Amino acid sequence: AQSVAQPEDQVNVAEGNPLTVKCTYSVSGNPYLFWYVQYPNRGLQFLLKYITGDNLVKGSYGFEAEFNKSQTSFHLKKPSALVSDSALYFCAVRDEGYGQNFVFGPGTRLSVLP
Amino acid sequence: ETGVTQTPRHLVMGMTNKKSLKCEQHLGHNAMYWYKQSAKKPLELMFVYSLEERVENNSVPSRFSPECPNSSHLFLHLHTLQPEDSALYLCASSQDWGSKQETQYFGPGTRLLVL
């Protein structure tokens, strides 16, 4: 079965500093990995996805994520955090060999402090 | 905006009421989804429609009844709900269902409170 873990409930970072939001996954086949962001009172917004190819994926709003097969990780990164990046971030996975639907992680709340 | 709209944005209902949530997508997609988002829990997939046919029903209580009259509209009919059904209900759409590369696009959600 497929699963996703986001080991940190909360990440705090100062504005201008680099940020990392962690995600690890477990699948039986090749993974298809996604990041979404949720601002207060809003739905989820797509940030980026990894399907195949380059391990470094670039997405919206200056975010990028690095796929690491050996560590089964897909951490979200940004070189310089903005206060407006404060939100709830979700990692999601589909398993190439299992089912059609997303499995979402529990979410990580990012707070960027001015 | 993502091209997926939901109404109402907020809803308060008693346990004996009947209400409906509406979702509309303006993206020309063929698949639509209902998710439930509760505090401290991962997103739960409730229903999936592909080309107006239900393809997934994840053990959802019968007090939730989906309807997909066409590929642009999705409803969730609610009746005799329980307080634990209070949550944010999210609608999403994707071009097709069945491709693992598909990105889902979410609406802003309906915040439901059951008293």
Side-chain angles (χ1 to χ4, degrees):
Chain A
Q2 51 198 346
S3 65
V4 178
Q6 293 180 245
E8 299 157 319
D9 290 338
Q10 173 89 35
V11 170
N12 297 321
V13 64
E15 187 176 27
N17 282 2
L19 70 86
T20 298
V21 183
K22 296 179 180 177
C23 172
T24 58
Y25 64 89
S26 175
V27 296
S28 58
N30 289 321
Y32 295 83
L33 295 153
F34 296 72
W35 275 103
Y36 283 84
V37 60
Q38 185 176 32
Y39 297 101
N41 301 312
R42 302 289 294 275
L44 276 66
Q45 293 182 31
F46 169 69
L47 280 178
L48 51 80
K49 66 181 177 183
Y50 172 81
I51 303 300
T52 186
D54 275 346
N55 289 342
L56 186 64
V57 179
K58 294 189 183 295
S60 306
Y61 313 120
F63 284 94
E64 58 189 28
E66 186 167 12
F67 171 63
N68 188 319
K69 188 171 184 176
S70 62
Q71 297 187 6
T72 61
S73 68
F74 189 56
H75 301 331
L76 182 70
K77 301 182 180 186
K78 187 173 182 181
S80 178
L82 301 172
V83 172
S84 57
D85 293 328
S86 299
L88 191 56
Y89 289 79
F90 291 94
C91 182
V93 68
R94 285 197 190 100
D95 187 335
E96 179 189 49
Y98 182 86
Q100 311 292 340
N101 300 315
F102 278 133
V103 171
F104 283 89
T108 297
R109 186 162 300 282
L110 172 69
S111 292
V112 181
L113 309 172
Chain B
E1 297 302 324
T2 62
V4 181
T5 58
Q6 290 186 244
T7 55
R9 294 293 308 276
H10 302 272
L11 179 62
V12 179
M13 57 188 290
M15 289 191 285
T16 58
N17 291 157
K18 291 184 180 181
K19 296 286 184 182
S20 296
L21 310 184
K22 179 182 176 182
C23 174
E24 184 173 359
Q25 58 95 1
H26 311 273
L27 301 169
H29 288 170
N30 294 317
M32 297 186 77
Y33 310 78
W34 280 117
Y35 286 88
K36 177 183 179 183
Q37 185 179 25
S38 306
K40 309 289 186 185
K41 293 175 71 173
L43 265 71
E44 301 172 51
L45 179 64
M46 301 175 72
F47 301 104
V48 181
Y49 277 81
S50 176
L51 297 171
E52 302 147 45
E53 297 220 359
R54 192 189 310 181
V55 294
E56 292 267 348
N57 178 355
N58 285 353
S59 302
V60 179
S62 60
R63 57 186 184 268
F64 295 92
S65 174
E67 179 190 2
C68 187
N70 55 63
S71 59
S72 298
H73 293 87
L74 185 65
F75 294 89
L76 188 63
H77 303 299
L78 316 172
H79 64 97
T80 59
L81 294 192
Q82 304 298 310
E84 60 265 28
D85 297 322
S86 299
L88 182 68
Y89 288 84
L90 293 165
C91 174
S93 72
S94 66
Q95 184 61 57
D96 293 297
W97 179 76
S99 168
K100 297 180 195 295
Q101 304 181 26
E102 284 295 331
T103 299
Q104 291 182 14
Y105 295 90
F106 286 79
T110 295
R111 176 73 60 188
L112 174 66
L113 178 62
V114 181
L115 300 176

